[in-house]
Amino acid sequence: DIGDYLTKEQKHTVIIWANHPAAVETMTQLEQQGGRTVLDPALIVELVNEQRAKFSDLTEEEVVLRAGRLSHADSVIFAKVAIVPASGAADGSDGYRCHVGIRAVNVAIGEVRWTGTAWYPRPIQDTDEAIRVLTATAVARARCPIERGFTWYDNKGCVVK
């Protein structure tokens, strides 16, 4: 069972860094359900801003990883959300296309631990709910342990072959 595999994952402290509040909320819930400690986003924003002022030549990701090291986090989970009008109409009257890309990076060495993406194939109206579902799907897809005989199916999720 995939749940058994995930609960055996090393418990550690994470930072969630995302460009959409629904992604932050969903990732926080998922990480806490998995027994991991999520550092307070408000404190991390403050730390990132301090680091950005000191190291203006670094990229945002480098600054966040630096903040992760200073706060003794084990990983940073970056979530990038894209929402665009489906028809090109700025008001979104035809709905929106949503995409979520997520990756977890080991703070100490900068290595990507896992990565996942999810998107809706057709336009949707409720972008916040879509981002919640897509974030959870991207994480499930990323953490599906294919090296242990599991397979990802878009209509079933992660299952044993």
Side-chain angles (χ1 to χ4, degrees), residues 8-154:
K8 293 176 187 172
E9 186 178 340
Q10 178 185 357
K11 306 299 185 213
H12 61 275
T13 302
V14 298
I15 290 172
I16 311 280
W17 194 258
N19 65 338
H20 196 284
V24 173
E25 173 189 313
T26 302
M27 282 305 312
T28 299
Q29 289 171 354
L30 292 171
E31 292 304 294
Q32 289 174 337
Q33 287 169 0
R36 290 169 287 281
T37 300
V38 178
L39 296 178
D40 182 356
L43 295 176
I44 297 305
V45 167
E46 185 178 319
L47 183 55
V48 166
N49 289 338
E50 288 174 9
Q51 294 303 302
R52 188 178 289 131
K54 291 179 184 177
F55 301 98
S56 60
D57 58 325
L58 297 180
T59 66
E60 181 172 320
E61 183 173 312
E62 291 170 327
V63 172
V64 174
L65 288 170
R66 183 172 179 75
R69 285 189 290 279
L70 290 171
S71 63
H72 304 288
D74 298 298
S75 298
V76 174
I77 300 175
F78 293 98
K80 174 83 172 171
V81 174
I83 303 171
V84 296
S87 66
D91 66 357
S93 57
D94 292 332
Y96 296 90
R97 298 220 182 258
C98 296
H99 177 273
V100 175
I102 298 179
R103 62 197 168 87
V105 179
N106 177 306
V107 169
I109 60 175
E111 176 183 74
V112 175
R113 296 184 62 236
W114 50 262
T115 182
T117 60
W119 60 92
Y120 276 119
R122 59 192 171 279
I124 52 91
Q125 294 297 323
D126 185 351
T127 56
D128 284 350
E129 183 58 25
I131 298 310
R132 288 182 190 91
V133 171
L134 292 174
T135 299
T137 301
V139 170
R141 180 178 282 159
R143 290 183 170 167
C144 183
I146 56 173
E147 71 281 0
R148 294 184 181 226
F150 287 78
T151 302
W152 178 264
Y153 297 100
D154 284 336

